[in-house]
Amino acid sequence: MTTILTNKLKIKYDLEKIQRDYDFIKIIREDKTIYGAHILDLDFVKVDAIVFENGHSLVLMYRKNQHSSYTFNEYFRNSPYMDSYRAMDVSCKDLVENNVLLQLFLNALSNYSSDDLKYNNLTGNLFITHPALIVKKVKDQPMQLDALQVKVDKEETLNFSANRFNSVKYRNKMKIEDKKFRSLPKYELLSNGVLKRHHKGEAKQLFVQRAIDNEKASIPFLDISSFEKYNASKMGMMSDLLERFEIYFGEYVHLEFEEYSDIRQALIQSERFELVNHELGTTLYLIDKICDEHSKIELKHIQHILLDKYGLKSRIVKHPQKDAMNIVYLHEKEYYKKHQLVDPYINDKAFLTHHLTVEGFLENEELTIEVILKELLIKKDLEKQQISLLDWSDFQFEHEWIFINKISGEENRYLGMKIYPNGHFVFTEFENTLFRNHEYNQYADILVSSKAEGLIIDHHKNINVIVQTKLYSLQEMHQIRRIFKQTKENQKYFKDELADLLDHISTQTKSQSIISEVSDIKEYLDSVNEPEISQQYFVQKLHHKTLKQKVNDYFVMNYQKHLFPYFRNQQNKSELYRGSLDIHYWQIDEKRAQYCVGEKSKNPKPKMDKGVIIREVQAIGDAPVFFDELLPLMDVDFVRLGSLTVLPFPFKYLREYAKKYI
């Protein structure tokens, strides 16, 4: 049975022990916003952790009898800048609400760090840094770095988000007023990798938590290509955090991630969409909007790809053609801005076009062409009002379905798509205003109130709404860490046992390369004078992929340990990736269900840039939850080429129609 591991926490406090060993002080500034930096700068304040509750208060946590509220209040009374502050003792019981107490203990991890991972309690927040997350250096000096912020919310969900810190030397690239920039806390990156708020004195380099230009922080959700990369991923950091939390604070707070059971795994088709199976049915034109020697060469190259891979003939022209498919070749938007040129982007409803940028094409030529052709086919479907990328009748729907969403960038405009059993569809655009009385207006009200990603209506007018949650489907992070650690061990094993194992493998295979390698390894074992050999030296002699796998399987079965970090065989995939692959669906109650969509389990990548978000389906009014009937609509690989889609694919048609016609 599949279970889903989530970032929803199960928290168990031992309040008696906490009250025995820790004190808590709340500092309040009732008249204005409180600035924690001033508090942190006080010489006598040596706290374990700090958390901001809101704009007017913060909470300090420290070991028993180290400070008193009296000391703080005396200081405030004698300070001309802090006379509006006051301090009061609080009980740990009063901090359980809204999980302030847990956040304090999480922030207290800043007092304990590993060799690579550093925990930083910066201005009331917890950030985790790693040397691999230094984004940019100039003359060996870090200029940009990313950090993972860890925060528990009121719903007991552990959130982890990437944040970027930039050198103050990039001030001119930051979109921020001078006054606000000066008020930003400045941080110093110490030689041991710890970020520390800069108070006074000289510093080689100062950072602010601020992005530059349009850059975003980027930390992979999961990367198991190496132990170092795993530790620098979100899942690696979470694994380390929970491990350390249990070591240092386990007697005070016990943390577990919540699991969902009784999970239904949807059957995934290996392939639903093959571009070569589709006829474009019209002429294909390449529109050159650059018109230089380079563009002529590249367009000729594109022509060859179209002909060789898809058997498609095309013509290079200067202007788009009606009743045809047009690929417009141009630069990215930023290029025309930088050179103060008119952007030749074509947004004419009369033409069926898709744009190909010079910059985008050079990244991955053949994949880019495939994506463009797929997008043109979708646009062709929009013109014909008929789904052709797959056979809608294969889903065996006996009645129509309606899909509705808000038009992006529009305040009160909505778009509906009704699909009939034969795959024919019609769009309906409507506004949600007091002066409009459209039959779909009731649906717009639901979308606004629920902040939904989409709304679906069946032929009985039952309504289901899709809502994005803060939950993720997590991989088995602790097991992955355990496997990596085991491969780093250097335990000794008896040579005779290893020789017997190799003999057994050799007799079970016809592969001459394996038999030959076994012979070489046994010869090496005979040359070792000691009765035992270390794991390190034995592993170095294993080269053949299949042999390594068989030896590893033996060690897992007999010693419950791994010699190699294998994560992609079928058993490991189901255990370690859990619900992060394929489509999983489960019922919460009569009115709610949840689901998540990951990568196809056929060939999971060792690196996942984004986490698998759990979405919730809510039945409105007297309606039942019927969303399970629509799970096959996410088992398509043309919305995200080669990957599953996180929403039923008609929502892709809604988005594309809005972009072209509205």
Side-chain angles (χ1 to χ4, degrees), residues 75-120:
Y75 180 86
F76 296 152
R77 276 194 290 270
N78 296 316
S79 171
Y81 305 105
M82 305 181 74
D83 55 350
S84 61
Y85 288 75
R86 63 184 179 92
M88 56 186 289
D89 296 307
V90 291
S91 167
C92 60
K93 296 178 182 178
D94 299 328
L95 300 173
V96 172
E97 189 178 357
N98 297 331
N99 295 305
V100 174
L101 183 60
L102 175 56
Q103 190 66 55
L104 282 163
F105 274 102
L106 287 170
N107 291 359
L109 285 171
S110 60
N111 301 299
Y112 312 94
S113 294
S114 66
D115 292 338
D116 292 326
L117 289 170
K118 307 298 179 184
Y119 293 81
N120 310 271

Side-chain angles (χ1 to χ4, degrees), residues 274-313:
E274 286 284 351
L275 194 59
V276 293
N277 298 331
H278 290 268
E279 294 288 337
L280 292 181
T282 186
T283 310
L284 186 61
Y285 291 94
L286 306 178
I287 317 303
D288 191 354
K289 288 295 182 181
I290 298 176
C291 298
D292 60 16
E293 290 302 314
H294 178 76
S295 69
K296 291 177 182 177
I297 295 170
E298 286 301 313
L299 286 173
K300 287 286 185 183
H301 180 48
I302 292 169
Q303 278 189 308
H304 287 305
I305 294 175
L306 290 168
L307 187 61
D308 292 346
K309 189 170 183 180
Y310 304 105
L312 295 173
K313 294 181 179 179

Side-chain angles (χ1 to χ4, degrees), residues 369-621:
I369 294 296
E370 191 169 358
V371 169
I372 286 174
L373 292 176
K374 178 262 299 182
E375 292 291 334
L376 285 170
L377 284 170
I378 291 175
K379 291 174 180 178
K380 183 183 172 186
D381 280 3
L382 297 179
E383 285 190 345
K384 303 294 185 183
Q385 294 187 304
Q386 180 70 39
I387 293 171
S388 72
L389 270 76
L390 46 71
D391 191 344
W392 183 263
S393 63
D394 286 347
F395 299 117
Q396 298 182 347
F397 295 133
E398 297 179 356
H399 305 279
E400 70 273 9
W401 290 96
I402 298 174
F403 301 84
I404 297 178
N405 216 343
K406 188 175 183 295
I407 298 173
S408 179
E410 301 287 340
E411 187 174 351
N412 289 309
R413 296 177 74 189
Y414 299 83
L415 188 64
M417 179 184 184
K418 181 183 284 191
I419 308 177
Y420 296 91
N422 63 356
H424 173 67
F425 57 82
V426 292
F427 287 103
T428 302
E429 183 190 349
F430 60 100
E431 294 185 38
N432 189 34
T433 67
L434 293 173
F435 307 102
R436 296 270 181 151
N437 189 24
H438 196 279
E439 62 173 314
Y440 284 1
N441 274 31
Q442 59 174 312
Y443 306 135
D445 292 337
I446 295 169
L447 280 168
V448 170
S449 62
S450 63
K451 297 181 180 179
E453 290 189 286
L455 183 148
I456 305 163
I457 304 109
D458 68 7
H459 67 288
H460 294 299
K461 295 190 176 180
N462 293 314
I463 305 168
N464 280 192
V465 172
I466 305 171
V467 179
Q468 192 175 132
T469 73
K470 296 179 182 178
L471 300 178
Y472 287 90
S473 174
L474 306 181
Q475 296 81 21
E476 185 49 76
M477 62 186 81
H478 299 310
Q479 178 66 0
I480 295 171
R481 175 176 291 277
R482 191 156 47 247
I483 291 173
F484 271 125
K485 283 185 174 181
Q486 288 173 354
T487 63
K488 299 291 185 182
E489 293 174 357
N490 199 22
Q491 190 174 334
K492 289 190 174 183
Y493 299 95
F494 286 107
K495 292 191 306 176
D496 292 344
E497 184 179 353
L498 297 176
D500 290 343
L501 164 63
L502 293 169
D503 281 337
H504 176 74
I505 294 172
S506 184
T507 59
Q508 298 294 313
T509 184
K510 294 180 180 179
S511 171
Q512 289 301 313
S513 57
I514 291 179
I515 295 170
S516 176
E517 185 167 307
V518 166
S519 178
D520 291 341
I521 298 171
K522 286 187 67 181
E523 187 176 330
Y524 165 73
L525 291 175
D526 289 337
S527 70
V528 177
N529 296 323
E530 301 294 325
E532 294 178 318
I533 186 174
S534 70
Q535 174 179 311
Q536 177 185 345
Y537 289 123
F538 178 61
V539 166
Q540 285 176 354
K541 298 298 178 181
L542 297 168
H543 302 291
H544 196 285
K545 185 177 179 180
T546 303
L547 179 60
K548 290 165 70 175
Q549 179 69 69
K550 289 182 180 294
V551 170
N552 192 72
D553 290 345
Y554 174 86
F555 272 80
V556 171
M557 183 168 291
N558 291 277
Y559 294 103
Q560 290 74 53
K561 68 166 293 184
H562 290 252
L563 294 183
F564 302 96
Y566 282 115
F567 300 113
R568 298 177 69 178
N569 62 33
Q570 198 57 46
Q571 183 178 353
N572 279 344
K573 281 193 297 188
S574 59
E575 291 177 359
L576 301 178
Y577 284 91
R578 290 185 171 236
S580 299
L581 300 174
D582 298 330
I583 302 171
H584 292 83
Y585 176 90
W586 59 99
Q587 201 84 18
I588 302 295
D589 53 43
E590 291 184 355
K591 307 299 291 185
R592 295 182 303 142
Q594 291 180 339
Y595 75 94
C596 57
V597 181
E599 296 294 327
K600 289 184 179 181
S601 59
K602 182 180 178 182
N603 192 27
K605 302 180 182 72
K607 182 180 179 183
M608 295 182 179
D609 289 321
K610 296 181 179 180
V612 177
I613 295 172
I614 293 174
R615 288 170 165 83
E616 184 166 293
V617 180
Q618 301 169 353
I620 304 299

Side-chain angles (χ1 to χ4, degrees), residues 320-326 346-353 379 383 659-661:
Q321 308 295 305
K322 288 186 177 181
D323 301 319
M325 290 186 176
N326 301 277
I346 299 170
N347 190 25
D348 192 326
K349 298 177 183 179
F351 299 105
L352 203 164
T353 61
K379 291 174 180 178
E383 285 190 345
K659 282 193 285 187
K660 183 170 177 61
Y661 296 105

Side-chain angles (χ1 to χ4, degrees), residues 264-280:
R264 169 184 168 186
Q265 184 169 359
L267 182 64
I268 304 298
Q269 302 285 332
S270 58
E271 297 290 344
R272 276 200 184 271
F273 175 74
E274 286 284 351
L275 194 59
V276 293
N277 298 331
H278 290 268
E279 294 288 337
L280 292 181

